[in-house]
């Protein structure tokens, strides 16, 4: 196999498996995710040559002047931040049809281009892989002793107490899973995140579709989402809380939010659709989440000490951290993450559903005994409500805590610390 451009000290990612499978099956793969999550390094770990469009103006110009030139080189060939030279999309489509060889191109992108750029489908030619900031397993704060894939198969759980304690988890939440922040202090991470959000508001949100946005309004909306993280807050509520010198109406809030979604910054959890035995009505509102909860912490100008003084807010942020890691671990096997809420006031924080219909339900608790008991009751209510003649039995009913041991409870629920979870 030809030598790749793998950077020195590259730390393997959960996403690597999905990229490898896509390259083995398709001519091209697009790795999509927010800026700074490690897409370029992952692309280089597979690539034999590269074009870095964000650093090479001549390369961007050549895409339209000399079509196909930037595609020449050792394969797989990395085309980094391809959306800066969107004409390359169709050139790759055509090249992919030549010889029908797999594993030819790797594209990375930190924004979704306007629809007309990719109106010609890449179906059968280009696979997409979603990348997020690093999970606790990837940053070293989780042992990975408990496999989510095994949980989906109903495997029993017995996990030792991880070395990472509550404070380690709290620091990891505030620091986030950004590769460049590995080993950095929380104050250093907060400086980086402040700059990240500032650049997002000042430049990225307007650049994503060429429509000028008010940076102050975007910043207020981000802060509003942060205050409502892990809730089903409506557009109207987000807009009302983001009101400042210039009122932000519901339509404007929705436009700003769509831009943040296209930048992979906001990633809401949809409601789970299932068959119920009862007459309860399933609620359809999505839960608000950032791609990494550290962005919410930064937008709130919070930190470990402040969060320790507001355990309710910490609970919502911890839930968002759990959802981030469940998405990463579940995505390795094609599973999706949802939440459950019905008209009987039953809520369950996360449902992980695999492609074959197997599913696990999870309630998220920081760790108090009374919280665990309440979580168990909610999970057992959900199991009773789901019509298992039309939907399979849950593989596991999980109570995900911040720290502690992993074990099976006599009532059929299972306690798993996030610091022991892995793919």
């Amino acid at each position: 196999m030809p030598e790749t451009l793998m950077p020195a000290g590259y730390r393997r990612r959960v996403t690597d498996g999905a990229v490898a499978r896509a390259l083995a099956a398709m001519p091209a793969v697009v790795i999509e995710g927010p800026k700074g999550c490690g897409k370029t390094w992952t692309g280089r770990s597979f690539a034999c040559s590269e074009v870095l469009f964000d650093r090479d103006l001549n390369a961007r110009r050549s895409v339209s002047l000399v079509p196909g030139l930037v595609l020449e080189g050792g394969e797989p060939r990395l085309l980094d931040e391809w959306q800066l030279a969107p004409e390359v999309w169709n050139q790759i489509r055509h090249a992919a049809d030549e010889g029908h060889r797999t594993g030819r191109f790797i594209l990375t992108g930190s924004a979704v281009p306007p629809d007309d750029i990719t109106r010609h489908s890449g179906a059968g030619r280009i696979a997409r892989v979603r990348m997020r900031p690093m999970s606790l397993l990837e940053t070293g704060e989780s042992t990975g002793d408990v496999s989510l894939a095994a949980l989906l198969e109903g495997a029993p759980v017995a996990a030792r107490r991880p070395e990472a304690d509550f404070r380690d988890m709290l620091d990891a939440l505030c620091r986030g899973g950004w590769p460049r922040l590995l080993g950095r202090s929380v104050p250093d991470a907060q400086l980086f995140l402040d700059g990240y959000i500032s650049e997002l508001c000042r430049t990225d949100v307007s650049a994503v579709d060429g429509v000028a946005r008010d940076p102050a309004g975007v910043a207020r909306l981000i802060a509003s989402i942060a205050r409502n993280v892990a809730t089903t807050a409506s557009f109207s509520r987000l807009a009302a809380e983001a009101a400042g010198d210039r009122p932000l109406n519901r339509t404007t809030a929705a436009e700003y939010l769509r831009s943040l979604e296209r930048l992979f910054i906001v990633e809401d959890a949809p409601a789970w659709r299932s068959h119920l035995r009862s007459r309860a009505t399933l609620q359809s509102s999505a839960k608000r989440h950032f791609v990494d909860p550290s962005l919410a912490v930064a937008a709130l100008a919070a930190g470990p000490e402040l969060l320790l003084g507001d355990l309710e807010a910490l609970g919502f942020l911890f839930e968002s951290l759990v959802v981030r890691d469940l998405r990463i671990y579940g995505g390795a096997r094609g599973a999706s993450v949802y939440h459950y809420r019905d008209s009987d006031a039953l809520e369950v924080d996360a449902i992980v559903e695999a492609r074959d219909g197997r599913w696990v339900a999870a309630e998220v608790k920081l760790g108090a005994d009374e919280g665990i008991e309440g979580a168990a009751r909610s999970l057992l209510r959900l199991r009773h409500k789901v019509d298992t003649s039309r939907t399979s039995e849950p593989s596991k009913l999980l109570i995900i805590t911040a720290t502690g041991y992993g074990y099976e409870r006599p009532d059929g629920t299972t306690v798993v610390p996030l610091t022991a979870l892995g793919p």
Side-chain angles (χ1 to χ4, degrees):
M1 180 177 177
E3 185 176 352
T4 69
L5 304 174
M6 182 179 291
Y10 178 67
R11 187 176 293 206
R12 289 291 181 184
R13 304 291 296 274
V14 173
T15 312
D16 289 355
V19 174
R21 289 190 294 273
L23 285 171
M26 303 283 277
V29 57
V30 181
I31 307 173
E32 299 178 318
K35 281 186 177 180
C37 72
K39 301 181 301 298
T40 302
W41 274 40
T42 292
R44 282 177 165 171
S45 74
F46 290 94
C48 296
S49 66
E50 66 182 12
V51 179
L52 307 178
F53 285 121
D54 61 336
R55 305 178 194 177
D56 191 339
L57 178 59
N58 288 331
R60 297 203 298 271
R61 289 172 174 166
S62 73
V63 170
S64 56
L65 295 175
V66 191
L69 181 63
V70 297
L71 304 187
E72 298 178 3
E75 296 178 356
R77 184 160 175 79
L78 172 64
L79 296 102
D80 192 46
E81 297 294 349
W82 76 271
Q83 78 279 355
L84 299 177
E87 298 94 338
V88 80
W89 178 267
N90 282 332
Q91 295 175 22
I92 287 177
R93 285 179 57 248
H94 296 313
D97 289 334
E98 299 171 3
H100 301 283
R101 302 195 311 276
T102 60
R104 299 190 61 191
F105 305 108
I106 302 168
L107 295 81
T108 68
S110 55
V112 177
D115 291 340
D116 59 345
I117 289 174
T118 56
R119 65 184 181 276
H120 298 297
S121 171
R125 308 175 182 93
I126 304 173
R128 294 180 183 271
V129 173
R130 186 68 175 268
M131 192 169 192
R132 301 173 177 88
M134 303 173 86
S135 64
L136 293 188
L137 176 69
E138 292 165 307
T139 59
E141 277 112 354
S142 173
T143 63
D145 287 347
V146 180
S147 162
L148 180 58
L151 292 173
L152 283 163
E153 294 174 358
V157 169
R160 58 191 169 91
R161 186 182 186 94
E163 291 184 7
D165 60 18
F166 188 89
R167 187 58 191 240
D168 293 327
M169 180 282 300
L170 182 56
D171 287 352
L173 188 157
C174 294
R175 188 189 309 111
W178 310 96
R180 69 187 62 187
L181 297 180
L182 283 172
R184 304 285 293 274
S185 68
V186 171
D188 284 352
Q190 289 173 320
L191 287 175
F192 166 82
L193 291 165
D194 288 345
Y196 190 104
I197 292 176
S198 176
E199 187 66 14
L200 185 69
C201 298
R202 188 177 63 86
T203 303
D204 296 346
V205 170
S206 296
V208 70
D209 56 8
V211 177
R213 311 290 189 195
D214 173 28
V218 176
R220 293 197 303 271
L221 178 63
I222 289 174
S224 178
I225 298 169
R227 286 190 293 272
N228 291 281
V229 77
T231 75
T232 56
S234 65
F235 281 133
S236 298
R237 176 170 178 172
L238 295 179
E241 292 192 7
D245 296 335
R246 300 180 184 179
L248 192 63
N249 62 38
R250 184 182 185 278
T251 301
T252 303
E255 291 174 352
Y256 287 5
L257 191 56
R258 280 194 293 271
S259 295
L260 293 170
E261 289 170 346
R262 290 179 60 188
L263 290 165
F264 306 105
I265 296 300
V266 170
E267 188 177 8
D268 293 345
W272 190 49
R273 310 299 297 178
S274 186
H275 301 288
L276 303 182
R277 292 192 180 98
S278 71
R279 295 178 180 273
T281 303
L282 291 171
Q283 304 297 299
S284 60
S285 299
K287 270 194 176 183
R288 306 294 180 189
H289 290 284
F290 289 98
V291 71
D292 192 290
S294 63
L295 294 171
V297 176
L300 296 172
E305 303 309 322
L306 186 62
L307 291 176
L308 285 172
D310 188 347
L311 293 181
E312 182 178 11
L314 177 56
F316 285 117
L317 290 164
F318 178 60
E319 178 183 333
S320 197
L321 180 68
V322 170
V323 168
R324 182 201 71 183
D325 281 11
L326 288 176
R327 281 172 167 157
I328 294 170
Y329 303 148
R333 297 293 180 269
S336 300
V337 178
Y338 306 90
H339 79 97
Y340 178 94
R341 186 182 183 193
D342 67 29
S343 56
D344 287 342
L346 176 60
E347 297 186 33
V348 174
D349 296 328
I351 306 290
V352 183
E353 186 173 44
R355 289 178 176 175
D356 62 5
R358 287 179 295 177
W359 59 282
V360 299
E363 275 281 85
V364 179
K365 298 296 175 185
L366 286 171
D369 289 343
E370 61 271 19
I372 289 176
E373 294 302 325
R377 288 192 294 272
S378 294
L379 291 167
L380 294 170
R381 280 183 66 196
L382 175 66
R383 184 173 65 184
H384 177 72
K385 281 192 167 192
V386 172
D387 185 351
T388 53
S389 68
R390 305 172 71 186
T391 301
S392 64
E393 290 275 358
S395 300
K396 284 287 179 183
L397 300 173
L398 303 177
I399 303 167
I400 300 180
T401 59
T403 59
Y405 294 94
Y407 58 94
E408 305 281 353
R409 286 168 46 99
D411 61 5
T413 61
T414 303
V415 176
V416 177
L418 183 62
T419 46
L421 199 58

